[in-house]
C-alpha cells in the first residue's frame, strides 16, 4: 500500500460502515457449515478510503458482524478463507481459551518446507506450553532487561549521533530497525555483519505474497539456525542460541525439533515487531507536535504514551485452530477451522475504548492486546517496552522537534504491519 504521509487521527474518521465494500470475492468453495450471510471478502482490511492510516482503514470491519467468514486469509495464514473475530471481547476470549482454540501450526513456517516442527512455545498448547514458558520466561524477565538498558541506551545514542547533524534521516533504515534488531542479534549470538541478509529473509517470510520467496526464506532461516545450533553444541556460549541448546523441560533435554523451534521463534520475533511499532510511534509524534512536546517536557509520560501508541497501532495478527465441532456465540464451527485474531481490531474496538482512534496519552485503564493475550502473550514484552522507552528518551532528548519531510510518500506492508520507510527532518 502506498499512501500520502500526513494524517491526523483527530480529524480522520473511520470509513462509514453503511458504505458497502466493493469487489468482495466469493469464488472459493465455502464450507457447508458457513452461513452465506456471514461470508465476506477481504476488502475490510484493504480499504483505500483511509490509505494514510491502515488502522483507520481496518475500521471498515465495524460494518460487518463481530464474527464472520472471510474468503481470503492474511499473508501466511489461511489462503482458502477463515473465520474472523472482530471485537475485543471475542478476540480476548479466543486467545485465552487454548482448549477450544489451539495454536498448533498457526504460522505454517515448517509446513512451507514440508516439515512439521512447531515454533516453541508459540505453536504448542498448555500444559506443555506452560512448562516451556516457566523455563523461558527468566531469559527476558524485568531484572534481566534492566541489566541490558545501558547497552540499549548506548546503541540508541550511537545511531542518533550518526544522523543528528544531517538534519534528516530515513527513520526505519537508520534507527527504527537497527536499534531493536542489533540488540536482538547480540542476544542471539548472530553475526551482525549479516544484518541485511537476515532482514531480507524476514521480510520475504512474513510479508511477501510470492509463495516461492516465502518458501526460500523459510528454508534459509532454518538452515542458518541449524548451523548456529550445531556451533553452540560444539562450543557452548551464553546467548539465546546457547540457552536453547542447554535448556531442559520437565526434567529432559529438548529434542532437536524443539531446539530449532525455540531458535526459529526468537529469530522471527526479534527482527520485526519492535521495529514496526517504532515506525508508527515516531510517525505519530512527527505529525502531532502537541503530544510530542508533552513528552519532551516530561519524560515520565513516555511509558504511558508507549502503551497508548501500541494500542492505537497494534501491528500483530495471529490465528487459532478450532479443536472440535462446537457452537461459538451462535455460530457453528468445525474442527480444523481457522480463526483470525487481529490485535488492531481488539485495540480499536469502540465498545472497549472510548474514542479508539484518538490517541490519549493518559488513557487508563488501557487493556490493549498489542502483545497478544492468554497463555501465548508475548514474553518478550519487557524488552520491547524498554527498547521503545529508551528510544524515545534518547531521541527526544537530542532531536526534540522533527516532522515528516514534505512530499514524502509512505509505503507499508501487511503481515506484521509496518512502514517500509519514514523520511524525517529537523
Amino acid at each position: 500500500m502506498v499512501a500520502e504521509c500526513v494524517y491526523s487521527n483527530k480529524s480522520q474518521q473511520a470509513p462509514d460502515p453503511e458504505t458497502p465494500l466493493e469487489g468482495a470475492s466469493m469464488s472459493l468453495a465455502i464450507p457447508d457449515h458457513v452461513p452465506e450471510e456471514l461470508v465476506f471478502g477481504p476488502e475490510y482490511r484493504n480499504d483505500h478510503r483511509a490509505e494514510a492510516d491502515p488502522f483507520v482503514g481496518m475500521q471498515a470491519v465495524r460494518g460487518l458482524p463481530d464474527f464472520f467468514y472471510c474468503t481470503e486469509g492474511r499473508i501466511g495464514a489461511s489462503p482458502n478463507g477463515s473465520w474472523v473475530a472482530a471485537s475485543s471481547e471475542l478476540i480476548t476470549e479466543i486467545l485465552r481459551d487454548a482448549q477450544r482454540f489451539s495454536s498448533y501450526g498457526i504460522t505454517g513456517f515448517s509446513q512451507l518446507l514440508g516439515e512439521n516442527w512447531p515454533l516453541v512455545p508459540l505453536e504448542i498448547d498448555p500444559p506443555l506450553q506452560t512448562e516451556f514458558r516457566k523455563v523461558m520466561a527468566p531469559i527476558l524477565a524485568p531484572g534481566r532487561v534492566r541489566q541490558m538498558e545501558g547497552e540499549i541506551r548506548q546503541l540508541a545514542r550511537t545511531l542518533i549521533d550518526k544522523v543528528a547533524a544531517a538534519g534528516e534521516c530515513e527513520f526505519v533504515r537508520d534507527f527504527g530497525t537497527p536499534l531493536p534488531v542489533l540488540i536482538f542479534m547480540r542476544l542471539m549470538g548472530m553475526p551482525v555483519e549479516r544484518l541485511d541478509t537476515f532482514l531480507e529473509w524476514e521480510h520475504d517470510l512474513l510479508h511477501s505474497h510470492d509463495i516461492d520467496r516465502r518458501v526460500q526464506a523459510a528454508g534459509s532461516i532454518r538452515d542458518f539456525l541449524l548451523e548456529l545450533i550445531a556451533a553452540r553444541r560444539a562450543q557452548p556460549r551464553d546467548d539465546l542460541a546457547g540457552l536453547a541448546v542447554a535448556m531442559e523441560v520437565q526434567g529432559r533435554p529438548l529434542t532437536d525439533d524443539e531446539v530449532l523451534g525455540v531458535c526459529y521463534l526468537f529469530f522471527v520475533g526479534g527482527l520485526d515487531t519492535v521495529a514496526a511499532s517504532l515506525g508508527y510511534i515516531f510517525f505519530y509524534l512527527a505529525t502531532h507536535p502537541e503530544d510530542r512536546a508533552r513528552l519532551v517536557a516530561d519524560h515520565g509520560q513516555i511509558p504511558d504514551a508507549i502503551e497508548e501508541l501500541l494500542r492505537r497501532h497494534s501491528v500483530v495478527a495471529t490465528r487459532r485452530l478450532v479443536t472440535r465441532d462446537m457452537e461459538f456465540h451462535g455460530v457453528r464451527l468445525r474442527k480444523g477451522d481457522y480463526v483470525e485474531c487481529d490485535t488492531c481490531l481488539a485495540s480499536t474496538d469502540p465498545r472497549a475504548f472510548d474514542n479508539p482512534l484518538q490517541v490519549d496519552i493518559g488513557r487508563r485503564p488501557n487493556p490493549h492486546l498489542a502483545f497478544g493475550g492468554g497463555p501465548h502473550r508475548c514474553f518478550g514484552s519487557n524488552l520491547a517496552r524498554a527498547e521503545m522507552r529508551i528510544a524515545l528518551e534518547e531521541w527526544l532528548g537530542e532531536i526534540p522537534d522533527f516532522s515528516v519531510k514534505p512530499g514524502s510518500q509512505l509505503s507499508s506492508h501487511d503481515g506484521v504491519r509496518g512502514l517500509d520507510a519514514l523520511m524525517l527532518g529537523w
Side-chain angles (χ1 to χ4, degrees), residues 9-77:
N9 70 357
K10 295 182 179 180
S11 61
Q12 200 165 16
Q13 301 299 315
D16 183 355
E18 299 301 321
T19 303
L21 294 172
E22 299 177 355
S25 172
M26 308 295 182
S27 60
L28 83 166
I30 304 300
D32 293 339
H33 65 289
V34 178
E36 182 179 353
E37 65 270 18
L38 293 182
V39 179
F40 296 87
E43 288 74 20
Y44 75 92
R45 60 172 176 259
N46 300 318
D47 183 20
H48 298 296
R49 287 171 289 184
E51 282 187 329
D53 182 351
F55 304 95
V56 167
M58 288 287 288
Q59 300 310 302
V61 80
R62 305 304 172 201
L64 304 181
D66 282 345
F67 199 77
F68 62 92
Y69 196 89
C70 183
T71 59
E72 180 182 312
R74 292 167 59 87
I75 295 174

Side-chain angles (χ1 to χ4, degrees), residues 363-378:
R363 185 186 297 268
R364 289 190 180 178
N366 196 347
H368 63 76
L369 294 178
F371 291 112
H376 289 283
R377 188 180 182 280
C378 176

Side-chain angles (χ1 to χ4, degrees), residues 163-239:
V163 300
E168 65 178 34
C169 77
E170 196 287 278
F171 177 84
V172 174
R173 178 197 63 212
D174 295 334
F175 188 84
T177 296
L179 177 64
V181 169
L182 287 173
I183 290 296
F184 165 75
M185 290 178 69
R186 294 173 186 176
L187 272 173
M188 188 72 175
M190 296 162 57
V192 295
E193 64 272 12
R194 298 186 64 184
L195 170 64
D196 291 341
T197 297
F198 296 145
L199 289 176
E200 181 180 353
W201 292 347
E202 178 91 353
H203 184 274
D204 286 349
L205 178 67
L206 297 181
H207 309 301
S208 178
H209 291 269
D210 185 327
I211 187 62
D212 291 334
R213 292 179 69 91
R214 295 191 68 233
V215 170
Q216 183 176 5
S220 296
I221 295 169
R222 176 202 58 194
D223 293 345
F224 164 74
L225 292 174
L226 288 175
E227 292 177 5
L228 183 63
I229 290 167
R232 293 299 176 269
R233 291 193 191 281
Q235 187 175 357
R237 285 176 52 182
D238 185 20
D239 53 32

